[in-house]
Amino acid sequence: MHLVVIGLNHKTAPVAVRESLAVSEEELPNALESLCACPSISECCILSTCNRTEVYAVTSKHEDEETILDFMSSLGENFEPYIYRHRGHKTVEHLFSVASGIDSMMVGENQIISQVKNAFSAACDCDSTKTVLNALFQQALSVGKRARTETDISHGAFSVGYAAVELARLVFGELSGRTILIIGAGKMGELTAKHMQAAGAASVIVANRTLSKAEKLAEALNGRAVPFESLPAAMVQADIVISSTGATKPVVSRDEVTKIMRKRRERPIFMIDIAVPRDIEPSVAELDNVYLYDIDDLQSIVQESANERQKETEKVMEIVAEETSKFSAWMKTLEAVPLIKSLRQHLDDLKEAEWQRSSSKLTHLSEKDKEAVRMMMQSLVNKISHNPLVKMKEYSSCADGCEKLDIVRELFGIELDETEDGE
């Protein structure tokens, strides 16, 4: 059994690379099904957000990791220089860090815990998780909750919305009286718009392909909804554009913005694209009086937040280390399970073979006496195996547990193939 995570995030890869590997909510079931179809992968879960794409998997051996890389190659190209790979307890530690918010761009942000939960839920719906990943993700959610309960990691944490406001202030100074246009009706766009409103923005327009969703969000923000076809006209009116759709290709092109800017008479427009893949063609930033920022442009503001929250991060790291140790100890006990099953089967087979060899010599005994002999043999097998079975469970938690379990195999003459059948 081999636990691994292979992925990339905002620390290792620019948004141009991350967006090529992003897996949308709609694409997730097919992606999980594709991974599960690989014989070498027994369990898998995909966590894909604007800041990361990670594949968690349980495979038979290290070499099977190439299957995951092949899958990632089907999503995008030229990503390998940017990936990280963690195995065993490092995988556990990584996911616990992610769920607790200390691996996020915005240290301590709360949205990641929902994203981890949704990724796990999607994997459960596709039946792609079993014993190990079920336990791992359930524990990760618990660690995330504990980090936020026992520390102040999320207290006053910077968010994407906060950073967007700071960037907008660089363009406009104060935001009083400004008009916001939200493209898409997702949670990230809503939260960013609320930060803009708190900073003084006056009105909100929402454009979404599904008008009913736009209307629902507009109502929550005391704004108005427009059909997606009216997006160019809405952009003429807006001062601030927040785009966060689930589209796989840009929904705003350079040509469109060029026409819009003429109608605006070159009045400045602030655009923040917090979608991955990006919603707005990057070349839009080359136009005069257009101030386009993407998710990676928030890094400088984020770093200030991370520095201020170092003490709380250290507290969370202690929780992560403690919980990682507990989970890793449990995982090690799983290593002994196939051998325990094989040893029990081995001793039962020996008992049965001996009975078959000797029963012809016991014809003088009654059926009741024969049964008593069989029960005595079973009792003897149970007593002989009890202490080795207890010790095997203990060995699995030791640093040199694998070596000790190999000695058990050798002592009882159990071939490795026998234990592999039980995995």
Side-chain angles (χ1 to χ4, degrees):
M1 180 183 66
H2 176 59
L3 176 63
V4 63
V5 58
I6 300 178
L8 46 76
N9 63 15
H10 60 283
K11 298 177 183 177
T12 67
V15 65
V17 176
R18 298 201 307 274
E19 67 186 0
S20 69
L21 263 69
V23 182
S24 68
E25 186 178 348
E26 293 73 20
E27 296 169 330
L28 194 52
N30 287 337
L32 289 167
E33 184 178 342
S34 176
L35 267 174
C36 287
C38 303
S40 59
I41 296 179
S42 58
E43 302 184 45
C44 63
C45 185
I46 299 172
L47 175 60
S48 185
T49 73
C50 59
N51 286 326
R52 71 183 67 245
T53 294
E54 299 175 338
V55 177
Y56 294 82
V58 176
T59 67
S60 301
K61 49 188 181 299
H62 284 188
E63 292 78 4
D64 297 328
E65 293 175 7
E66 294 304 312
T67 302
I68 301 172
L69 291 175
D70 290 342
F71 163 77
M72 296 177 77
S73 295
S74 71
L75 301 176
E77 300 176 350
N78 304 320
F79 63 88
E80 293 201 35
Y82 304 97
I83 65 169
Y84 44 80
R85 188 183 315 210
H86 302 302
R87 302 181 177 107
H89 80 278
K90 287 293 185 182
T91 302
V92 178
E93 182 180 67
H94 178 76
L95 180 58
F96 288 0
S97 296
V98 170
S100 65
I102 59 174
D103 195 61
S104 296
M105 177 184 285
M106 306 293 176
V107 175
E109 56 98 1
N110 286 313
Q111 191 173 13
I112 186 62
I113 194 85
S114 297
Q115 292 167 332
V116 170
K117 185 177 181 179
N118 291 340
F120 177 44
S121 178
C124 289
D125 289 343
C126 294
D127 198 29
S128 67
T129 59
K130 297 182 177 64
T131 303
V132 176
L133 291 189
N134 282 341
L136 177 63
F137 274 80
Q138 287 168 358
Q139 188 67 12
L141 294 172
S142 176
V143 171
K145 182 177 180 181
R146 184 182 168 192
R148 289 162 175 82
T149 301
E150 297 181 18
T151 76
D152 289 331
I153 193 67
S154 292
H155 181 68
F158 280 11
S159 65
V160 169
Y162 178 92
V165 168
E166 294 303 301
L167 286 174
R169 281 179 170 150
L170 294 177
V171 177
F172 297 117
E174 292 304 314
L175 304 186
S176 300
R178 300 294 176 179
T179 297
I180 306 168
L181 168 62
I182 304 175
I183 306 175
K187 194 67 178 176
M188 188 76 80
E190 177 184 355
L191 293 174
T192 305
K194 286 181 176 178
H195 276 275
M196 295 284 184
Q197 286 181 313
S203 58
V204 177
I205 305 170
V206 183
N208 190 65
R209 292 195 185 279
T210 304
L211 184 58
S212 60
K213 291 184 178 179
E215 291 171 339
K216 183 177 180 180
L217 178 55
E219 182 180 357
L221 296 172
N222 294 317
R224 63 186 178 89
V226 297
F228 204 76
E229 300 75 38
S230 301
L231 184 57
M235 290 181 68
V236 172
Q237 301 175 44
D239 300 296
I240 299 167
V241 177
I242 303 165
S243 193
S244 179
T245 76
T248 56
K249 296 180 180 180
V251 297
V252 177
S253 69
R254 176 177 177 145
D255 288 344
E256 288 174 325
V257 177
T258 300
K259 295 174 184 176
I260 288 166
M261 290 305 290
R262 290 197 198 104
K263 294 180 180 179
R264 293 172 62 89
R265 298 182 180 179
E266 301 303 319
R267 183 164 48 90
I269 185 170
F270 172 82
M271 308 176 78
I272 183 155
D273 187 350
I274 51 180
V276 178
R278 285 172 288 184
D279 285 335
I280 304 171
E281 288 185 353
S283 61
V284 166
E286 299 169 5
L287 299 175
D288 290 340
N289 293 313
V290 176
Y291 300 88
L292 172 63
Y293 298 87
D294 62 33
I295 197 76
D296 282 357
D297 293 319
L298 305 177
Q299 285 282 17
S300 60
I301 297 173
V302 169
Q303 189 56 50
E304 180 183 346
S305 168
N307 293 340
E308 291 179 355
R309 310 185 68 73
Q310 187 57 39
K311 287 186 179 179
E312 296 307 311
T313 298
E314 290 171 2
K315 294 177 185 177
V316 174
M317 288 173 67
E318 291 178 3
I319 293 174
V320 168
E322 177 189 335
E323 295 290 348
T324 298
S325 178
K326 289 179 183 177
F327 190 88
S328 297
W330 172 81
M331 267 197 67
K332 286 181 179 179
T333 65
L334 297 182
E335 299 290 342
V337 171
L339 180 55
I340 289 173
K341 291 171 63 176
S342 292
L343 177 57
R344 284 173 173 163
Q345 186 63 51
H346 179 68
L347 294 176
D348 282 341
D349 290 346
L350 289 176
K351 178 201 72 177
E352 192 60 31
E354 189 62 25
W355 173 255
Q356 294 299 328
R357 189 183 68 81
S358 304
S359 59
S360 61
K361 302 175 183 179
L362 303 176
T363 55
H364 62 287
L365 295 180
S366 66
E367 290 301 319
K368 183 177 180 180
D369 289 338
K370 288 181 182 180
E371 183 60 27
V373 173
R374 285 181 68 93
M375 291 178 65
M376 181 179 65
M377 292 175 68
Q378 184 62 57
S379 177
L380 185 60
V381 166
N382 292 343
K383 289 178 180 178
I384 290 173
S385 64
H386 175 72
N387 196 57
L389 295 177
V390 171
K391 287 296 180 183
M392 285 160 65
K393 291 179 181 178
E394 293 177 2
Y395 292 162
S396 65
S397 299
C398 298
D400 57 349
C402 291
E403 291 81 359
K404 289 184 176 181
L405 291 176
D406 284 340
I407 293 173
V408 173
R409 289 189 183 96
E410 184 177 353
L411 285 173
F412 284 95
I414 298 174
E415 295 296 330
L416 188 61
D417 286 346
E418 291 182 56
T419 62
E420 287 179 343
D421 290 340
E423 291 184 3

